Amino acid sequence: MTKILEKVDLSENVVKMVLDAPAIAKKRKAGQFIVLKIDEKGERIPLTTVDCDPEKGTLTIIFQVVGKTTAKLATLKAGDELMDLQGPMGRPTHLEGIKNAVCVGGGVGVGVVYPIGAALKKLGAKVTSIIGSRNKELLILEEEMKGISDNLIVTTDDGSYGIHGFVSDALKTLIDSGEKIDEVFAIGPVPMMKAIAAVTKPYGIKTTVSLNSIMVDATGMCGACRVAVGGETKFACVDGPEFDGHAVDFDLLASRLRMYMTQEKESMDNYRCECHGK
Amino acid sequence: MENNEKKEKKEKLPRHKMPEQDPKVRIHNYNEVPIGYSEETALKEASRCIQCKKPGCRTGCPVGVDIPAFINLIAEGKFIEAAWKLKEDSALPAVCGRVCPQESQCEKFCILGKKDEPVAVGRLERFAADYERNSGQVKIPELAPKNGKKVAVVGGGPAGLTVAGDLIKLGYEVTIYEALHKPGGVLVYGIPEFRLPKSIVEAEINYLEKLGVKVVCNAVIGRLETIDELFAEGYNAVFLGVGAGAPVFMGIPGENLSGIYSANEYLTRSNLMKAYLFPEYDTPIVKGKNVAVIGGGNVAMDSVRTALRLGADNAYIIYRRSEVELPARSEEVHHAKEEGVQFKLLTNPVEYIGDENGWVTGIKCVEMELGEPDQSGRRSPIVKKGSEFVINCDTVVVSVGTNANPIIPMTTPGLDTNKWGYIVADEETGKTSREGVYAGGDIVTGSATVILAMGAGKKAAASIHEYLSKK
């Protein structure tokens, strides 16, 4: 069992949790994720590790409520326990040799790009960050991102805060301003990562994306998370989750992410009914 | 003379069948198909054994169970004693009695089988183990005094459970590190409830824990801790029994369409995550109406029979060779046929067809014919020209084998693997290229059977004991 030490609501649907997980905290590196299962009847879901403190033995996760499991997770409080926590999983982010980095985060993806930016900053790289969300209320981790970035650009789709537009527009403007860029890290919804890769490709700027495919075991034994990269099938859990954004088949990823749409809705509807019953 | 008469008489007794659930009923539930012997039938079947002086059955058993002895105890009505006898050699008798291919092991060497049918060793093993578990009189055997040495077992499947069971009895402190949230390996994620009830696996693992084996779940060795770190923590030896869990895909067009599963994923969702109980359990699974399973092994049979129980109208096995070459146990093929599985033999997929949403709608297949036998004696299938046709389906399960999982070799310097990524280990001792590191089961041999993994575990445990006794 894993104890929840702290829970903070970052926005209407986004929650931060600090977990008591000393063994994982000791090993976890930026870019890696965990798999959790709330209780006996629960499913296994992958979540990126946003931060960790090896001394205190704590691990931080950020998640967005999108279905039953995340909705149920969001009802838990400090002091509650999770039945299973497995990690750290996946390959750590490759950070060596990067002097000028741009970290792009969309929506809850800001939580995933944050540890990469933080690790790059620690290694002495210049970090420019572009973060965005649909509107002002949904923007997360602005202060944290400011703390690790040499320059922070904020966008909102509706213009309620920062620059009016998408993060991909802001990136294009940045590139065209002549900013020197060794690598772009882009993490967020599939259309956003696809758009970022399309922006950087003509300029030949290396672009790394973190793929959020459906996972079950996350140890490489099932292939649920398979993605096509450069025409080859890869397992995001062991070969990734980070890949070359210019080689990823985003349309395939998007269609595979819709595989359980009906069941996910059924599960969420059932859960809502049960909750109203109480 | 008297002995001969006794022999004659016994041979005339027919082998006793196990009652089974009606196929029409059982495709709507996940309950076990064979119901098991009654006490009366077990007594009768056990009395068929002629108690050979040099029992061939025992040499045919990869873990060397003293078969005549336990069967004799059943024949005497000493059912619990029979179970205890079994447990001297096997860590998981209730499992083995159910899933071992006895026809190619113990029962193959039974002398009665020469003229008549062999003694039903597997069914009797199952009977004794079930009897003990149901009686609640599970005996804890005498353990050697603690010797102060620690062994880490990586992987809680059949090989690892056997190593743990043997070493704990010899006085070692044993910890199993399991990557998933439940130990058991293929016994919990792979073999379905209707062949092996999960409560039985749980009971067998509880027994090991009662003996003192520690089980740590959610521990992916290689990521959470490396093999070197385990030694640094004070382990004196490590056994690797991580299996060959990585699924193989055929690499044909359309393989990543929605609705196409590896057998590992399909079975893990259904068995480990209990997706067949969705939405009571949270993990979903696609309940296809027309389900095609590619492959002809036991895993393919498990998948196709799962598809039927999930409500498929049509469930197909697509296999590129003919019926005689099907690698699955004949009992499983028989059960699948009884349940209405349709066999598309001498058929091979060449491409998957999908709709505008990226969902599979059919498989383009070719007909095959068998050519001359190759070097291994198997007749290789050859494509019949111009034979392309389409099988319509909305769900596909690919069950064409597994590869070695790379995580441990990737993170363990000095651990040799062969060109397929399997760990190189001595067949008799389980010794790897790293001192103090032993390996066995599918991660050494590639996909094989539960009992062969247990046999490898048995040998490795003996060799770990020898190595640590000298240290």
Side-chain angles (χ1 to χ4, degrees), chain A residues 27 40-44 68 84-88 214 216 219 221-222 224 226 233 255-256 259-260 263 270, chain B residues 179 181 218 223-224 229 245 247 255-256 258-262 264-265 268-269 278-280 282-283 285 405:
Chain A
K27 293 292 282 203
E40 180 61 33
K41 293 181 178 179
E43 62 180 335
R44 299 166 60 94
K68 178 184 171 179
D84 294 290
L85 187 72
Q86 177 199 45
I214 292 176
V216 185
T219 62
M221 66 172 256
C222 88
R226 62 194 193 273
T233 296
S255 97
R256 286 187 63 85
M259 193 157 154
Y260 297 99
Q263 288 98 325
N270 272 348
Chain B
H181 57 269
N218 298 311
R223 298 272 194 224
L224 185 66
E229 286 166 333
E255 215 155 19
N256 294 331
S258 294
I260 303 181
Y261 286 103
S262 72
N264 269 4
E265 183 188 354
T268 298
R269 283 181 182 270
F278 179 89
E280 185 197 342
D282 292 337
T283 304
I285 194 165
N405 190 303

Side-chain angles (χ1 to χ4, degrees), chain B residues 387-431:
Chain B
S387 63
E388 270 190 15
F389 69 105
V390 172
I391 296 174
N392 292 325
C393 59
D394 52 41
T395 308
V396 175
V397 181
V398 182
S399 177
V400 295
T402 50
N403 271 336
N405 190 303
I407 294 182
I408 298 249
M410 212 160 70
T411 54
T412 312
L415 185 69
D416 291 348
T417 54
N418 67 17
K419 62 177 171 175
W420 298 285
Y422 294 111
I423 294 172
V424 177
D426 184 273
E427 206 183 303
E428 285 310 307
T429 61
K431 268 186 197 158

Side-chain angles (χ1 to χ4, degrees), chain B residues 13-19 36-49 70-80 82 119-131:
Chain B
L13 270 173
R15 176 176 158 115
H16 295 82
K17 290 203 167 68
M18 252 194 307
Y37 278 162
S38 64
E39 290 181 26
E40 200 192 346
T41 317
L43 274 169
K44 279 196 215 152
E45 181 63 28
S47 74
R48 290 181 70 224
C49 173
F70 99 80
I71 291 188
N72 196 37
L73 287 164
I74 296 180
E76 288 175 2
K78 295 176 178 162
F79 302 143
I80 289 218
V119 172
V121 179
R123 293 169 187 177
L124 289 171
E125 178 179 27
R126 168 186 166 146
F127 167 79
D130 287 359
Y131 187 91

Side-chain angles (χ1 to χ4, degrees), chain B residues 144-195:
Chain B
K146 285 276 161 235
N147 61 25
K149 288 170 184 160
K150 289 169 70 181
V151 178
V153 171
V154 183
L161 294 173
T162 304
V163 170
D166 281 9
L167 290 179
I168 199 85
K169 285 189 227 164
L170 293 167
Y172 293 90
E173 195 182 307
V174 185
T175 305
I176 295 177
Y177 290 94
E178 166 58 46
L180 293 171
H181 57 269
K182 265 188 193 151
V186 74
L187 308 176
V188 295
Y189 77 75
I191 303 175
E193 188 80 18
F194 54 83
R195 277 220 292 141

